[in-house]
Amino acid sequence: MTDHMDTDKTVSIPRHVSIIMDGNGRWAKERGKERVFGHAEGVESVRACVEAAAEAGVKYLSVFAFSEENWNRPSAEVGYLMQLMRKVIEGEVDSLAERRIRLLVRGHLDRLGPDLAADIRRAEQRTVPADGGEPLMTLVVFLSYSGKWDILQAARKFAAAAVHQPALLEEASEADFARFLVTADLPDPDLVIRTSGEQRISNYLLWQAAYAEFLFVDKMWPDFRKDDFRAALAAYANRDRRYGKVK
Ligand code: FPP
């Protein structure tokens, strides 16, 4: 009996937790401050969740940091966010590497400009464990990402591959197609958390979240800290995942 319960506990830690970090602007406005102040405070929540996730044994933590749609925000806010991304990535990379946390950035990175894209690639390289072993955890930052964009870019690559491999058109499985998504080397999310009380997927991991559990929490992202992350894991442990089957 004890063995059985232990096994269940291990299974109940999600392998991949993904977060739609929402409510930074509202958090700032509620305090009579500019929206960007909420983004800066939101970085502290990212730090807290990275720590909580690594401590709990989560293997992949991903965050939706900037969507393709976010490019349509006022240029001052977009500029601030891009500067913040660069500062955070540059500032955190050593600490991530020391803790064996691998950083990956995924999205439509061609839109970022060559300097930021190059900084990102360098930061990713710095967090590859030097001994060739497994990282403790992988942190994925989705930047200039949208689910429809990902599926479309995958479809383009799939079509190009099919020119040389016509059998793909008849026989490709879902797994064969998923190899062209920018998440090809990542497991699908088990748990997607969205803060700020909004209950939408907002063009996030549309393909990958097909069977994810969703948790919507009312707190704004800058208020979502370690205890909230742990509470989310506890809520996940009580879910009954059936994948469309009967248990
Ligand atoms: C959503 O709040 C948040 C964002 C669009 C930006 C989130 C980015 C960070 C916290 C920086 C993290 C950086 C790294 C490198 C991980 P919102 O602006 O949509 O808030 P609102 O819904 O209240 O307007």
Side-chain angles (χ1 to χ4, degrees):
M1 184 63 185
T2 313
D3 277 357
H4 172 73
M5 285 173 69
D6 283 347
T7 309
D8 276 353
K9 193 160 180 288
T10 317
V11 168
S12 67
I13 302 276
R15 187 165 174 229
H16 180 177
V17 178
S18 196
I19 309 180
I20 301 176
M21 311 183 285
D22 198 12
N24 290 350
R26 277 166 285 165
W27 184 91
K29 287 278 164 215
E30 281 165 12
R31 285 157 182 78
K33 305 203 172 182
E34 293 299 317
R35 293 174 51 79
V36 293
F37 189 79
H39 298 317
E41 193 60 26
V43 174
E44 294 306 318
S45 298
V46 177
R47 279 200 194 98
C49 290
V50 167
E51 269 183 40
E55 283 165 15
V58 169
K59 288 291 169 195
Y60 293 83
L61 175 69
S62 55
V63 291
F64 197 11
F66 194 87
S67 71
E68 282 276 77
E69 291 77 17
N70 288 155
W71 288 111
N72 299 321
R73 290 191 175 192
S75 63
E77 184 172 342
V78 171
Y80 176 89
L81 275 167
M82 287 304 140
Q83 263 182 332
L84 184 66
M85 301 295 169
R86 169 178 267 138
K87 202 174 107 193
V88 172
I89 289 171
E90 289 283 295
E92 297 295 320
V93 70
D94 287 340
S95 155
L96 292 173
E98 273 162 27
R99 290 179 285 164
R100 275 185 98 79
I101 298 173
R102 187 172 173 212
L103 174 71
L104 295 175
V105 181
R106 294 290 158 83
H108 194 178
L109 302 187
D110 292 349
R111 294 187 77 175
L112 297 181
D115 290 353
L116 181 53
D119 285 352
I120 286 170
R121 291 300 165 229
R122 265 195 301 276
E124 286 181 327
Q125 273 313 111
R126 284 230 296 276
T127 60
V128 174
D131 59 10
E134 285 295 305
L136 175 73
M137 188 177 84
T138 299
L139 170 65
V140 188
V141 176
F142 284 99
L143 196 52
S144 190
Y145 180 86
S146 84
K148 286 187 178 180
W149 165 80
D150 194 6
I151 293 167
L152 184 60
Q153 68 81 34
R156 289 199 186 104
K157 288 181 187 153
F158 178 87
V163 171
H164 305 289
Q165 233 181 310
L168 272 180
L169 293 178
E170 294 290 328
E171 293 160 15
S173 65
E174 290 177 3
D176 291 332
F177 183 79
R179 284 207 317 271
F180 295 96
L181 296 166
V182 297
T183 51
D185 54 343
L186 306 173
D188 286 343
D190 300 295
L191 172 64
V192 176
I193 302 167
R194 182 172 189 151
T195 57
S196 90
E198 306 291 350
Q199 303 191 359
R200 293 188 288 276
I201 193 164
S202 294
N203 205 359
Y204 189 37
L205 298 168
L206 297 180
W207 173 287
Q208 299 86 342
Y211 274 103
E213 293 293 327
F214 280 79
L215 185 73
F216 299 105
V217 296
D218 286 337
K219 277 194 179 177
M220 301 292 155
W221 176 246
D223 286 331
F224 191 90
R225 296 292 162 95
K226 272 181 122 169
D227 283 348
D228 303 294
F229 189 88
R230 292 187 188 118
L233 294 186
Y236 173 85
N238 286 322
R239 299 281 177 95
D240 183 17
R241 299 184 80 189
R242 290 193 296 279
Y243 300 95
K245 296 178 197 151
V246 176
K247 265 202 173 157

